[in-house]
Amino acid sequence: MRRRSTGGRWRQRALGALGALATSCAGSIGAEGPQDAGDAGASCAAGMASAQFRAQVTPPESMLPGARAQLSVTFDNCSGGPWRAGEFALVPAPGTVGTFGVARVPLTVDVPEGGRVTIPFEVRAPATGGVYPYSWAIARGGTETLQQYSPRGEVTVQHSADCTVPGPAARFRRQSPPSPFVGVGEPVRATVTFANCGAETWTRDAGYALASALPGGQSHLGAARVELPNEVPFGAEVTITVEGVAPAAPGRYPLAWAMQKRSERVGEATPEVRFTALTRASCAGAGPTSRFVAQTAPSTMDPTESASVDVTFANCGDEVWDSAYRINAAAPATDGRWGAGNLALPLDVGPGFQLTVPFRIRAPADAGSYPYRWVVTRGGTDLDQPSPARSITVRVIDSAGPCQARPVAGYVTDPYGYRVHPISGQWRLHTGIDFGAAYGTPIYACRGGTVVRASWYGGYGNAIILDHGGGMTTLYAHQSSFAVSEGQRVTAGQLIGFVGSTGNSTGAHLHFEVMIHGSTVDPARGYL
């Protein structure tokens, strides 16, 4: 209803006595006390809403179930006509009907057009805890609600607490912890409910708040102290919402809370609960329940070397990966040569999350290229998909030391030392050992190393020189042919050539030398 033009303005008339009592009996919910009406102070203009809100006494922010409160609302009548007692009434605005036990508070006085009325009344809080809205309006009969309404507000109706049994002042009632699995760095929400069974009303001004009950006041949500949403009198419960951020590092984190007055804990704490923070996985589209994400591992290792590695898998299934799930080597790397397997997951992994599992491997003792692959298993069964097939090269270690393999199958026919040279007839140093062997007999590297020569070498004929590191080299002379080439890496016992009689030789044999820092030594003295 809008205010009519003042061109045919109704004649203002004050009906009834100011201070007339409401028709409801005293003490009932609704009308309570006298209503004041008059034409002083109202300000109406064309186009204004029919009922202009001016002031109100609001209920407290929090109430106990069934508690009563005395309110009042003041409206100006800008409707263009009088509000008749009994015909017009104060009612809950749309969306708040029936909340506080007030359906209709009839006007007990007439309110002239341009007049102002203050309507006192009583409300009763709902019997069930929660947050309830309120707003008030003037209505005509039972069908027409005039604009405008009083400002909308909210009242928190607290749950009643049973404090009849002796106990602490603050008593834990219930909590709604975060989800068991949350994303790292993501917002987290929890609620905690305590009952005030102490002698003092809990207020912010008095220093009451919810605080972490973990040692040192530690909080894994970044919220170590949370303010009260409202005052909490004796015998009431309060539910406090905790909003924070999950840790940035994956892990399983505890939470526990207690009421606190300034720096002193009040009453009992909540039971400790835990949540797991993990990185969210990309599980879009059809695919296996276990999806490989990433891995780190060296491309080369030394024999028996240990290394820290990791592998990341995503749980894209419907089940939580718990202690029944493991990380194991996948085919073709299932021979256990890396010294790792049946690895327990450091954390349970919820659906839609991924986990990086760190562990250590140990390289095989022998040089070579070895397959390297991992998979999630459950009860000994592999889950798709494993990590990609790849290999790690175990290097040849160059170092001085005794031979690890005999150079050739044969007997020593001429030792290291001075002798008459069989061809020149001169007395001179025989710088190696001669092994008698048939033409074409295989020749083997005495230690792992690098081929630095595989070619004709003067009187040595076809010769191979291996560099073993640490200043040690070995020479294999008079070969008929080679099985390796310069720059090639070889392992102890690897075939490198064949016995021959090239160069200064009187017959098929292997001339074998050991040199330390460029000087020959007797191979029979600690090297063979």
Side-chain angles (χ1 to χ4, degrees):
M1 178 183 290
R2 296 286 180 180
R3 182 179 183 274
R4 298 178 183 176
S5 169
T6 56
R9 182 172 180 174
W10 297 349
R11 186 175 181 179
Q12 297 182 1
R13 187 163 61 92
L15 297 177
L18 296 178
L21 293 178
T23 56
S24 301
C25 62
S28 65
I29 301 303
E32 183 72 20
Q35 300 177 3
D36 294 335
D39 57 4
S43 177
C44 298
M48 293 180 67
S50 299
Q52 287 290 310
F53 167 78
R54 290 298 178 235
Q56 67 179 341
V57 174
T58 61
E61 291 183 358
S62 63
M63 300 176 69
L64 290 175
R68 301 188 180 208
Q70 302 299 320
L71 311 183
S72 67
V73 183
T74 299
F75 282 99
D76 285 350
N77 177 4
C78 295
S79 65
W83 293 346
R84 302 292 184 186
E87 180 183 2
F88 287 78
L90 181 75
V91 297
T96 65
V97 176
T99 303
F100 289 91
V102 176
R104 192 171 187 272
V105 182
L107 296 186
T108 59
V109 294
D110 289 350
V111 183
E113 193 275 338
R116 177 171 295 176
V117 61
T118 296
I119 307 166
F121 59 103
E122 184 180 74
V123 296
R124 182 177 60 228
T128 304
V131 178
Y132 296 91
Y134 64 85
S135 179
W136 310 101
I138 298 295
R140 181 178 185 179
T143 58
E144 184 180 8
T145 302
L146 280 59
Q147 299 280 353
Q148 69 199 156
Y149 311 147
S150 70
R152 187 182 179 97
E154 290 182 339
V155 174
T156 299
V157 177
Q158 299 164 333
H159 293 274
S160 296
D162 182 5
C163 296
T164 58
V165 178
R171 303 185 190 182
F172 168 73
R173 286 294 181 256
R174 57 192 170 273
Q175 64 181 332
S176 177
S179 298
F181 299 96
V182 300
V184 293
E186 292 185 358
V188 176
R189 187 177 187 273
T191 62
V192 181
T193 301
F194 277 95
N196 180 4
C197 294
E200 184 178 16
T201 297
W202 295 349
T203 67
R204 293 185 182 184
D205 291 343
Y208 283 91
L210 182 73
S212 172
L214 296 177
Q218 181 184 23
S219 172
H220 296 294
L221 300 182
R225 184 178 172 89
V226 183
E227 298 295 337
L228 292 175
N230 47 257
E231 293 185 355
V232 186
F234 169 81
E237 292 182 358
V238 60
T239 297
I240 304 170
T241 299
V242 181
E243 294 181 331
V245 177
R252 184 165 170 78
Y253 297 94
L255 293 174
W257 304 94
M259 292 304 301
Q260 190 177 79
K261 182 179 182 181
R262 297 188 175 90
S263 60
E264 298 296 324
R265 177 168 153 178
V266 179
E268 61 189 13
T270 67
E272 184 177 290
V273 296
R274 291 179 177 266
F275 69 94
T276 300
L278 294 169
T279 301
R280 290 198 180 272
S282 176
C283 293
T289 58
S290 170
R291 302 189 189 182
F292 168 77
V293 178
Q295 68 179 350
T296 61
S299 58
T300 59
M301 297 178 69
D302 292 337
T304 70
E305 178 187 5
S306 294
S308 294
V309 299
D310 61 60
V311 64
T312 304
F313 285 98
N315 178 2
C316 294
D318 298 324
E319 297 183 359
V320 174
W321 289 356
D322 53 19
S323 59
Y325 290 78
R326 301 282 171 147
I327 300 293
N328 276 293
T334 55
D335 55 7
R337 67 176 63 246
W338 295 110
N342 199 35
L343 303 166
L345 302 181
L347 298 169
D348 289 353
V349 186
F353 292 90
Q354 66 187 46
L355 178 66
T356 298
V357 181
F359 56 102
R360 289 185 66 79
I361 59 173
R362 182 179 178 87
D366 297 327
S369 181
Y370 297 95
Y372 181 86
R373 202 177 195 193
W374 303 94
V375 69
V376 177
T377 63
R378 186 181 189 278
T381 301
D382 292 359
L383 305 183
D384 284 339
Q385 75 204 141
S387 64
R390 56 160 296 183
S391 61
I392 295 177
T393 298
V394 178
R395 295 183 291 237
V396 175
I397 297 298
D398 297 339
S399 62
C403 285
Q404 296 169 322
R406 193 169 180 83
V408 69
Y411 296 99
V412 175
T413 58
D414 202 351
Y416 180 91
Y418 282 90
R419 66 168 186 176
V420 175
H421 193 277
I423 295 178
S424 68
Q426 296 178 346
W427 179 259
R428 54 189 276 186
L429 180 64
H430 184 217
T431 54
I433 287 178
D434 290 341
F435 291 91
Y439 190 92
T441 301
I443 299 172
Y444 305 102
C446 100
R447 288 181 66 84
T450 302
V451 180
V452 295
R453 174 184 283 273
S455 62
W456 186 268
Y457 192 21
Y460 290 112
N462 290 329
I464 287 177
I465 298 178
L466 301 181
D467 185 352
H468 304 287
M472 177 182 178
T473 59
T474 53
L475 178 144
Y476 310 77
H478 309 303
Q479 296 187 43
S480 60
S481 61
F482 304 134
V484 293
S485 57
E486 290 183 12
Q488 184 174 337
R489 305 280 293 184
V490 296
T491 59
Q494 181 176 334
L495 176 68
I496 60 174
F498 302 91
V499 171
S501 186
T502 56
N504 295 336
S505 173
T506 59
H509 73 287
L510 170 65
H511 175 80
F512 174 71
E513 292 186 5
V514 175
M515 289 163 282
I516 301 298
H517 299 295
S519 298
T520 62
V521 295
D522 185 354
R525 293 184 177 273
Y527 292 95
L528 283 177

